Amino acid sequence: MKLLKNHASAVALTIFPFTALQANELNPDVSVILDGYYKQNNTALSHREEGFGLGHTELSLSSPIDDLFEGRLTAVLEEHESETELELEEAFLQTTGMPYNLSIRGGRFLSQVGYLNSRHLHEDDFVERPAAYRALLGSHYFDDGLRLNLLLPTPFYWQIGAEAFDGGRMSEGDEDIGVYTVNTRFGGDISRSQSWQAGLSYLNNRQIHGEHEEEHGHEDEHEEEHDHGHGPAYTGENLYIADLVWKWAPEGNNRQQQLTLSGEYLYADDLNEDATSDDVHKGWYASAVYQFAPQWSAGVRYGEVDLKEAHGDHFHDQELEETDVMLAWSHSHFSTVRLQYTHQEAHGFEDADNTVMLQYVMSFGAHGAHGF
């Protein structure tokens, strides 16, 4: 489990993400992710409703285009208020083989702010993303835009990047470039068995002061408009994210055992024209996931989020503490069944509750390796 080896794979996926899959211009790789669940109760800030439902079901096509470009298209099916919605989550092209370890991506894609956001939801170890992610990034922020990444020639992994987005999936507004981000990630190997990665991200939402006031009313109105993964329910002009991940696997063999510790801290300020310096959104989570046998893993995650719900010219405080405990069985790399218990304690959320969820995530077709 060498980080540089992993990042070589990740970089390969970033720069040459599809070459190992042997797709070609006339025969693109096709993959399907099936995500279904049963949920006992509704919970606060959740994007999954009680009962049986479909989660983040994906259909992806990817292929090299020529010797300079490659592309990917990902369509997502999700159930929302008993209706099935189809949305284009990714449709991008990316350069291959640019000099100086540069890469450019254009189209619609997941932003690389934070640790989790650039990962597809089916890669997660828990049924849903942490509460801070659900509130401030709509679980996963994606948009139409352009990305420039540079992998620095250092003895350890160090990447810097910048993105510019339309911003319409973050906030309504008239700016041509509504959101831009800057991000850096660095890491290395501590030994044959241990590796780490840290990251810092900044997201500037230029459209925050152009939002309509009626979008920030009471909680019911708020959730009615924003409780889907299309955009975050809580925004600020500036969003800062710090993340840290550490992994351990005996002699680097993560097929037998692996322990992953991870955490992120999110902070957003300048919420709107009525906000003072004390009006901020902030949240964090820490998780531990232990794969104790090739097919079994268990994990626990704790997180908090403190939010300001806009109400006219002032704000109402909202707080949510969430603890998740999960047990997962993976018969193969392509199938996972997960049982999870979630405990919530909240102030300002009427639908906070405890719940039990049972989820399956199945994949078939050619599917690229996951990042670190």
Side-chain angles (χ1 to χ4, degrees):
M1 190 199 58
K2 290 287 189 180
L3 179 67
L4 294 179
K5 180 180 178 181
N6 283 336
H7 277 300
S9 299
V11 170
L13 286 171
T14 302
I15 301 177
F16 309 106
F18 316 115
T19 52
L21 305 179
Q22 297 181 339
N24 57 59
E25 298 87 338
L26 301 178
N27 185 26
D29 288 333
V30 181
S31 69
V32 175
I33 305 294
L34 302 177
D35 178 357
Y37 69 91
Y38 172 78
K39 185 175 183 179
Q40 182 187 26
N41 305 311
N42 283 323
T43 51
L45 292 176
S46 176
H47 298 153
R48 300 192 182 221
E49 299 161 1
E50 66 178 356
F52 292 102
L54 291 179
H56 207 71
T57 301
E58 299 177 7
L59 170 63
S60 292
L61 303 174
S62 59
S63 173
I65 297 171
D66 54 29
D67 59 330
L68 294 179
F69 301 100
E70 56 201 8
R72 170 176 291 171
L73 183 149
T74 302
V76 174
L77 288 164
E78 282 186 299
E79 192 169 88
H80 179 58
E81 296 181 348
S82 301
E83 295 185 0
T84 301
E85 300 179 349
L86 174 63
E87 182 164 39
L88 195 60
E89 183 175 275
E90 291 179 316
F92 64 82
L93 60 84
Q94 180 160 310
T95 60
T96 59
M98 288 187 67
Y100 307 110
N101 292 325
L102 285 167
S103 66
I104 297 174
R105 178 175 295 189
R108 178 174 298 180
F109 52 89
L110 295 162
S111 171
Q112 61 185 5
V113 294
Y115 173 67
L116 288 177
N117 194 76
S118 61
R119 302 161 65 94
H120 289 111
L121 293 178
H122 69 265
E123 301 177 37
D124 291 2
D125 293 310
F126 296 86
V127 178
E128 288 197 280
R129 295 239 153 128
Y133 256 74
R134 304 198 303 270
L136 299 176
L137 289 166
S139 285
H140 60 308
Y141 172 56
F142 61 93
D143 213 330
D144 303 338
L146 188 69
R147 170 190 298 170
L148 174 63
N149 274 347
L150 172 63
L151 186 63
L152 298 173
T154 56
F156 56 92
Y157 172 73
W158 188 8
Q159 176 183 278
I160 57 175
E163 301 168 317
F165 289 110
D166 171 77
R169 293 178 178 276
M170 179 65 71
S171 302
E172 292 185 0
D174 299 324
E175 298 285 350
D176 292 335
I177 300 177
V179 168
Y180 73 83
T181 78
V182 290
N183 163 273
T184 184
R185 291 174 180 167
F186 44 92
D189 297 321
I190 301 174
S191 66
R192 287 176 57 87
S193 303
Q194 302 179 65
S195 55
W196 65 278
Q197 176 181 284
L200 296 171
S201 304
Y202 169 70
L203 183 152
N204 181 262
N205 183 356
R206 302 175 65 205
Q207 302 187 138
I208 191 64
H209 296 296
E211 288 185 290
H212 301 296
E213 186 172 322
E214 56 269 25
E215 291 182 358
H216 297 275
H218 289 285
E219 180 182 343
D220 291 343
E221 299 167 355
H222 209 71
E223 295 201 353
E224 182 178 354
E225 295 199 20
H226 292 293
D227 66 352
H228 192 207
H230 296 170
Y234 303 84
T235 55
E237 181 172 352
N238 306 297
L239 174 63
Y240 307 88
I241 305 175
D243 61 86
L244 180 63
V245 182
W246 173 82
K247 294 188 178 185
W248 168 85
E251 296 299 315
N253 183 4
N254 58 9
R255 292 187 176 183
Q256 298 298 318
Q257 284 182 292
Q258 179 169 266
L259 175 63
T260 301
L261 304 180
S262 62
E264 294 188 67
Y265 179 78
L266 296 84
Y267 179 95
D269 62 11
D270 203 354
L271 308 187
N272 64 25
E273 60 274 12
D274 298 314
T276 68
S277 59
D278 295 328
D279 297 320
V280 298
H281 304 310
K282 56 185 177 181
W284 63 275
Y285 76 88
S287 71
V289 177
Y290 181 40
Q291 178 193 333
F292 54 91
Q295 295 182 323
W296 290 91
S297 62
V300 59
R301 183 180 69 192
Y302 176 80
E304 298 180 3
V305 62
D306 296 332
L307 303 168
K308 300 291 184 180
E309 181 192 16
H311 182 61
D313 60 355
H314 62 283
F315 294 87
H316 293 172
D317 291 333
Q318 293 180 299
E319 300 172 3
L320 178 64
E321 300 177 7
E322 189 173 81
T323 303
D324 304 290
V325 180
M326 75 85 188
L327 178 67
W329 173 66
S330 299
H331 177 64
S332 69
H333 178 70
F334 304 98
S335 63
T336 297
V337 177
R338 179 176 293 117
L339 179 65
Q340 178 172 313
Y341 171 73
T342 297
H343 171 73
Q344 290 188 332
E345 292 187 6
H347 166 72
F349 291 99
E350 295 180 354
D351 51 355
D353 203 348
N354 305 325
T355 192
V356 175
M357 289 178 278
L358 182 64
Q359 179 195 30
Y360 65 80
V361 179
M362 308 281 169
S363 65
F364 55 89
H367 189 74
H370 298 163
F372 180 75

